[in-house]
Amino acid sequence: MAEQWVPVPGERVHERRTGVALEVMEIDKADVYVRPLRGGLERVVRRSDLVPPDDAPGGFFDWQASHG
């Protein structure tokens, strides 16, 4: 079984639905606080709403290929 990705504060990730680049600010048990890299308000998302960084298995490159 593949290792499950866990976000860490300061990591750059992408929103699964839109592909927007985000920075992880803080992590709670069920929620992840993120901020858009291109400016905007910090908000709360679920871990399942995020795509791991480019170099992680199942990361943005894999997501982008499946949506291309």
Side-chain angles (χ1 to χ4, degrees), residues 21-55:
L22 304 167
E23 181 179 358
V24 176
M25 304 303 293
E26 187 178 332
I27 300 166
D28 195 345
K29 285 186 177 185
D31 300 318
V32 179
Y33 297 84
V34 296
R35 178 182 50 162
L37 293 182
R38 295 189 176 250
L41 298 175
E42 187 173 310
R43 58 193 171 99
V44 179
V45 297
R46 296 176 307 202
R47 288 182 189 185
S48 62
D49 293 336
L50 300 176
V51 175
D54 300 344
D55 57 351

